[in-house]
Amino acid sequence: DTEVTQTPKHLVMGMTNKKSLKCEQHMGHRAMYWYKQKAKKPPELMFVYSYEKLSINESVPSRFSPECPNSSLLNLHLHALQPEDSALYLCASSQYWQGQETQYFGPGTRLLVL
Amino acid sequence: GESVGLHLPTLSVQEGDNSIINCAYSNSASDYFIWYKQESGKGPQFIIDIRSNMDKRQGQRVTVLLNKTVKHLSLQIAATQPGDSAVYFCAENDAGNMLTFGGGTRLMVKP
C-alpha cells in the first residue's frame, strides 16, 4: 500500500480565515513533505519533515505553518493568506529523507483564497 | 520537456502507438530519477524510477532510459491507451533526497 491521504479535497477561504490542511500515511515512512503546485507548473517544495522534525523550510512565508504531531500525520496551518496562494497543495512521504527514496504523493487539496 | 511560460509541451499520439517523452536534467550529481504521471485534479503518481548505475529499466508497458553523458532521460510507453492521457513529470534526486521536477509534458491519446 502506497497511499497518502489528504483532507479536505477542496477549500475556499477568505484572507482573514484560519484553516488547516491534513495529511496522513500509514506506510511507516519517516519523511513527509509539503509541496505547492500552480496550474501547468511542476510541484514546488515547501517543507520537509524528517523523524517529525522540520528539516527544510524553502523560505516559505510565515502565513504557512507546518506541524508534524506524530510520524503518520502532517498538518499545514494557514492564516492570512493572499489570493496568489491559491494552488494545489500536495503532501508526500518517503521511507527516509536522505538517500534514493521514492516520494509518494497524496491527491492534494485544491485551495482557493478569496 | 520543459515548459515555456504557461504552455506545457504536448505530445499527441494515436491509441495503440508507442509514446516517447523526453526530459533533460541539469544536476550532474543527481543519482536517482523518477517519472510521475499526474492526471487532471489528482496528485503525481509514481510510474518508474532508475538509479544512475543503470541506463535502462523496464516496467509494465513502460521503459525508462538514462543517458548520463548528455543528462537526458526518456520515458517510453508501449501501446499507448486513452488512460495514459496525463501530464508526465521527470524528477531528479540528489543524495539529499531533494526532488527537482522537470517542467512536464502533456500526453494526449487520440482514440
Side-chain angles (χ1 to χ4, degrees), chain B residues 2 9 12 24-25 30-31 33 35 45-46 59 80 83 85 96 105 110:
Chain B
E2 296 195 5
S12 187
Y25 66 93
S30 293
D31 58 2
F33 304 87
W35 280 100
Q45 175 190 358
F46 170 84
T80 314
S85 295
T105 298
K110 296 177 286 188

Side-chain angles (χ1 to χ4, degrees), chain B residues 1-62:
Chain B
E2 296 195 5
S3 62
V4 178
L6 293 178
H7 301 286
L8 279 173
T10 297
L11 175 65
S12 187
V13 300
Q14 204 70 37
E15 181 179 358
D17 286 353
N18 296 334
S19 304
I20 300 177
I21 300 171
N22 296 304
C23 177
Y25 66 93
S26 54
N27 186 353
S28 54
S30 293
D31 58 2
Y32 180 50
F33 304 87
I34 308 169
W35 280 100
Y36 287 97
K37 171 187 180 184
Q38 188 172 23
E39 296 175 88
S40 181
K42 297 185 179 179
Q45 175 190 358
F46 170 84
I47 302 174
I48 192 168
D49 58 3
I50 189 167
R51 286 166 170 73
S52 58
N53 61 351
M54 304 171 71
D55 52 22
K56 181 179 179 178
R57 188 157 190 236
Q58 287 185 286
Q60 190 175 19
R61 278 201 310 120
V62 294

Side-chain angles (χ1 to χ4, degrees), chain A residues 45-49 53-59 97, chain B residues 98:
Chain A
L45 183 66
M46 300 173 73
F47 302 104
V48 179
Y49 272 83
K53 292 198 176 353
L54 183 64
S55 299
I56 295 283
N57 176 340
E58 290 285 273
S59 303
W97 175 38
Chain B
M98 301 287 283

Side-chain angles (χ1 to χ4, degrees), chain A residues 31 33 35 37 39-45 48 56 58 88 90 94 96-108 110, chain B residues 3 5-8 31-32 34 36 38 41-46 49 51-52 89 93-99 101-103 106:
Chain A
Y33 311 78
Y35 287 84
Q37 187 178 27
K40 294 185 169 64
K41 295 288 189 181
E44 297 175 359
L45 183 66
V48 179
I56 295 283
E58 290 285 273
L88 181 68
L90 294 161
S94 63
Y96 302 109
W97 175 38
Q98 303 286 340
Q100 297 173 347
E101 299 290 340
T102 304
Q103 291 185 26
Y104 295 95
F105 285 82
R110 189 160 297 283
Chain B
S3 62
L6 293 178
H7 301 286
L8 279 173
D31 58 2
Y32 180 50
I34 308 169
Y36 287 97
Q38 188 172 23
K42 297 185 179 179
Q45 175 190 358
F46 170 84
D49 58 3
R51 286 166 170 73
S52 58
F89 291 101
N93 184 342
D94 64 21
N97 207 26
M98 301 287 283
L99 273 186
F101 284 85
R106 183 180 304 282

Side-chain angles (χ1 to χ4, degrees), chain A residues 54-75:
Chain A
L54 183 64
S55 299
I56 295 283
N57 176 340
E58 290 285 273
S59 303
V60 180
S62 60
R63 58 186 184 268
F64 295 91
S65 175
E67 178 198 18
C68 190
N70 61 54
S71 59
S72 300
L73 292 174
L74 187 66
N75 298 323

Side-chain angles (χ1 to χ4, degrees), chain A residues 3-22:
Chain A
E3 190 178 27
V4 177
T5 59
Q6 289 186 246
T7 55
K9 282 189 175 14
H10 302 275
L11 180 62
V12 179
M13 61 187 290
M15 290 189 281
T16 58
N17 291 159
K18 283 186 184 181
K19 296 285 184 185
S20 296
L21 310 185
K22 295 186 184 303

